Amino acid sequence: RFSYVFLYDSDSGTHTSTEITTGVLKLQTAQSSGTWVSAARDSDTTITQAYLVVVGETLTGAAYQVSADDGFSYQAIQNKERITFSATGKKLRIKVTLSDTNCQINSLAVLYK
């Protein structure tokens, strides 16, 4: 029903050893791991499911988690996977953990209902 899309054409979210530059999310120079967390997306209805689509390079160097309750609890999700939330809510957040210096994410989208 709804989507939360990141094209990484501008800086957003909260970074820990990551950066958004030249249209990609990646690790900062000389870092071996890092985390990016999106801002919360408000929903008028309770979020019960999510589907993730990620485009980029060396995506095996990234792990993804989603939260429907504003980041209080996260659930792991894989690229092109649908999950049902065990903790529902009305504020969607996405967390990306990078662990490979070659990993670059060009775009990320979470479809949710």
Side-chain angles (χ1 to χ4, degrees):
R1 283 186 136 178
F2 306 101
S3 62
Y4 197 11
V5 178
F6 299 91
L7 300 177
Y8 298 115
D9 51 3
S10 63
D11 197 11
S12 66
T14 304
H15 298 276
T16 304
S17 300
T18 60
E19 64 183 354
I20 295 172
T21 183
T22 61
V24 297
L25 172 65
K26 63 182 183 176
L27 287 171
Q28 291 175 335
T29 303
Q31 299 298 317
S32 59
S33 66
T35 304
W36 172 81
V37 180
S38 72
R41 164 64 68 92
D42 293 324
S43 175
D44 292 334
T45 60
T46 300
I47 303 167
T48 59
Q49 294 184 342
Y51 181 81
L52 179 68
V53 179
V54 183
V55 175
E57 298 177 22
T58 317
L59 295 178
T60 54
Y64 313 97
Q65 296 175 296
V66 290
S67 171
D69 60 3
D70 199 20
F72 290 105
S73 61
Y74 282 94
Q75 284 182 239
I77 188 170
Q78 302 295 319
N79 191 16
K80 298 181 183 168
E81 177 186 29
R82 182 180 72 174
I83 63 161
T84 299
F85 286 105
S86 55
T88 60
K90 293 185 177 184
K91 286 187 179 275
L92 181 69
R93 285 189 188 266
I94 300 100
K95 182 189 290 187
V96 179
T97 302
L98 302 177
S99 59
D100 186 324
T101 56
N102 295 316
C103 182
Q104 294 187 2
I105 298 176
N106 298 79
S107 63
L108 181 149
V110 177
L111 311 177
Y112 63 96
K113 66 177 189 172

